[in-house]
Amino acid sequence: MIDLQVGPERVLVMAVQTDQYSPEQFQVILDEMTSLTETAGGQVIEVVTQKLPKLDGRTAVGSGKLEEIAALVEAREIDLVISLNALTPSMNRQLEASLKVQVIDRVQLILDIFAMRARSREGKLQVALAQYNYLLPRLYGQGKHLSRQGGGIGTRGPGETKLESDRRHIRSVIHHVKEELADIAAHRERTRSRRAQGGHWQVGLVGYTNAGKSTLLTQLTQSETYVQDQLFATLDPLTRRMPLKGEDRFTLTDTVGFIEELPTELIHAFKSTLEEIGGMDLLLHVVDASDPAQTLHEQTVLRIIKELGYGHLPVLTVYNKIDCLAPDQSVQATAFPSIAISAYEPSHIDRLKQEIWKLLMADADWVDQRIPAHEAYKVAGMRQELLVTKFDYDENTGDYHLQGYRRRQQDREEETH
């Protein structure tokens, strides 16, 4: 079959504001649906909302609203309906039977974007695992949509053949993917431990998707990485050396962007990637200071970090994109310690580096030690262990005098494990 569709898929977004959403939260997620849809290659033609205490058990929306959506699907030549609310497999089937077009929900939309963005072997495996777990209970009736050779939103990933296989085969694939991910996670843990044991301070970038983390990674490390004004532009954790004050004992790791109501399937699948956060000495929480939903985004990221078990880690909040603020706007800083910057302003990057240094050294152990001449063999080891700020040889006593900082690792590793 040849897909003759030209241009982006025409999408209708349906959303029910249940009692679990505040008006502000609902509006933010609803607005976000347009960006998510565009990132996946679709165009939002219509948005239909309804306010209900809870989702209709059969079709999520009420019967009258369903008729309204069906009429719009036909009149506006809609190719795809995306539900903001998570749909059960039975809801999905009922909606597709009523609307005569493919229906997916926000979870599947995000999984689809992750499938587009994954580049490394680990990233692709993690996305595949999340997709298999999500689609396993939804195998019934999927074949007709997945057989479109032209693909489309909600069809990327595992593919037609595997999804039409029996559940036993799918579970077997999930098992093998988990085993391979476990091997990769073990390798990642060994690498992380070597960095820590080598006296490297490890700094992690966290934040809401599209807050500017990858841009900051590039500017702080002077390295090339994928920087794009898109949701979930970076999936795979990238670790680069970040020289501070001429010292190279620092690394900076970019992580996947968070999002409100991050699908559970993704949190489980990306467990090893998210565990990178746990080994950090400092988290840079990057916030888009120009986003109207700044406060909600901040709260979302902090809540997820806490839920992952990393709420004890030191955090420096970086209010980014101040160059995008309107002339009459000012930075609404709600966290401490914090710094307001534009990632494209070199002087701001210098200030940020100074703040990172100050916070890391404040949490390090200060060492002031004299080594007698007959124990001179210890000097080399000390210089490897310490970030040396002073090194003298006293000709009168024959002592070596070292001063510097030692990464405080024992307490942190006990808390993380």
Side-chain angles (χ1 to χ4, degrees):
M1 181 188 298
I2 299 175
D3 193 334
L4 298 176
Q5 179 171 314
V6 178
E9 289 182 271
R10 296 171 62 82
V11 175
L12 180 146
V13 172
M14 55 176 268
V16 180
Q17 183 183 347
T18 60
D19 289 345
Q20 77 177 89
Y21 296 113
S22 68
E24 179 196 16
Q25 185 186 29
F26 181 73
Q27 191 57 52
V28 166
I29 300 176
L30 186 61
D31 292 342
E32 206 168 62
M33 287 293 290
T34 298
S35 297
L36 288 168
T37 302
E38 290 173 352
T39 299
Q43 178 184 6
V44 176
I45 304 299
E46 292 283 349
V47 177
V48 179
T49 64
Q50 186 175 28
K51 192 170 184 178
L52 294 172
K54 61 180 182 178
L55 295 182
D56 181 279
R58 191 167 177 272
T59 57
V61 295
S63 57
K65 188 61 67 173
L66 184 61
E67 291 177 6
E68 178 187 335
I69 294 171
L72 285 169
V73 165
E74 185 174 357
R76 300 303 306 274
E77 298 182 336
I78 299 298
D79 303 306
L80 174 70
V81 171
I82 305 178
S83 170
L84 177 146
N85 312 88
L87 301 173
T88 65
S90 62
M91 285 179 184
N92 217 118
R93 289 194 292 271
Q94 291 290 348
L95 284 167
E96 291 189 339
S98 300
L99 301 177
K100 305 296 189 293
V101 292
Q102 185 186 8
V103 178
I104 65 171
D105 60 18
R106 181 175 175 273
V107 175
Q108 193 170 351
L109 176 63
I110 293 173
L111 289 174
D112 194 74
I113 295 170
F114 270 58
M116 293 169 60
R117 295 281 181 259
R119 285 175 170 75
S120 70
R121 173 65 178 164
E122 182 183 20
K124 291 174 180 177
L125 283 169
Q126 288 170 322
V127 174
L129 176 60
Q131 288 181 311
Y132 282 131
N133 281 326
Y134 178 80
L135 291 171
L136 185 59
R138 294 168 168 80
L139 289 177
Y140 176 82
Q142 288 285 335
K144 60 182 180 295
H145 300 307
L146 294 166
S147 64
R148 293 188 302 165
Q149 291 189 11
I153 300 173
T155 67
R156 302 178 182 98
E160 175 188 1
T161 304
K162 287 186 175 61
L163 286 176
E164 289 179 345
S165 300
D166 59 57
R167 293 175 184 273
R168 184 178 301 171
H169 174 70
I170 296 294
R171 290 194 181 100
S172 174
V173 172
I174 289 174
H175 176 73
H176 289 304
V177 170
K178 283 182 176 179
E179 284 186 334
E180 190 166 349
L181 282 172
D183 290 340
I184 295 173
H187 174 73
R188 183 190 296 285
E189 175 62 30
R190 289 193 295 271
T191 302
R192 192 161 57 228
S193 295
R194 280 198 299 271
R195 287 200 303 262
Q197 290 168 5
H200 283 80
W201 278 266
Q202 301 179 81
V203 180
L205 289 164
V206 297
Y208 209 81
T209 182
N210 207 31
K213 297 185 302 303
S214 295
T215 302
L216 263 186
L217 179 81
T218 301
Q219 302 292 62
L220 286 168
T221 65
Q222 294 301 301
S223 63
E224 291 298 321
T225 186
Y226 185 77
V227 177
Q228 193 71 33
D229 186 21
Q230 293 175 328
L231 300 175
F232 304 116
T234 302
L235 279 193
D236 303 305
L238 298 167
T239 299
R240 299 285 183 268
R241 287 191 180 274
M242 177 179 63
L244 293 179
K245 295 194 174 184
E247 299 286 349
D248 65 353
R249 296 281 189 91
F250 307 89
T251 62
L252 184 63
T253 299
D254 192 7
T255 59
V256 64
F258 295 151
I259 193 169
E260 181 68 18
E261 295 188 355
L262 190 66
T264 305
E265 291 84 358
L266 280 174
I267 292 177
H268 290 322
F270 278 74
K271 184 175 181 290
S272 65
T273 300
L274 294 171
E275 280 177 350
E276 283 285 304
I277 298 171
M280 299 299 149
D281 297 289
L282 176 68
L283 297 181
L284 301 186
H285 176 192
V286 186
V287 179
D288 182 352
S290 68
D291 195 306
Q294 172 199 314
T295 302
L296 181 62
H297 291 176
E298 276 189 80
Q299 293 170 350
T300 296
V301 173
L302 292 175
R303 186 183 70 250
I304 293 174
I305 290 173
K306 189 174 181 180
E307 288 172 355
L308 290 170
Y310 306 133
H312 62 280
L313 296 177
V315 176
L316 170 61
T317 303
V318 182
Y319 292 103
N320 189 28
K321 302 189 183 183
I322 63 172
D323 52 311
C324 298
L325 290 170
D328 59 340
Q329 282 184 296
S330 59
V331 177
Q332 302 299 311
T334 59
F336 179 83
S338 66
I339 184 171
I341 68 160
S342 164
Y344 294 107
E345 178 54 57
S347 64
H348 292 193
I349 296 299
D350 290 340
R351 282 198 298 113
L352 176 57
K353 285 184 174 182
Q354 291 170 15
E355 192 67 20
I356 293 170
W357 172 277
K358 185 174 78 173
L359 290 171
L360 288 175
M361 295 308 108
D363 195 44
D365 291 322
W366 172 250
V367 177
D368 187 342
Q369 188 164 341
R370 291 184 179 273
I371 299 176
H374 67 276
E375 294 182 354
Y377 63 89
K378 293 182 179 179
V379 172
M382 290 290 292
R383 297 197 69 154
Q384 283 288 326
E385 182 184 346
L386 295 182
L387 198 163
V388 178
T389 59
K390 182 179 180 180
F391 176 61
D392 290 325
Y393 174 70
D394 190 328
E395 293 184 357
N396 295 321
T397 64
D399 292 347
Y400 294 93
H401 184 201
L402 287 91
Q403 289 182 331
Y405 297 96
R406 179 190 287 121
R407 176 182 176 269
R408 186 182 299 164
Q409 57 182 344
Q410 184 175 355
D411 294 344
R412 180 133 319 122
E413 287 166 1
E414 285 175 358
E415 287 176 353
T416 304
H417 297 290

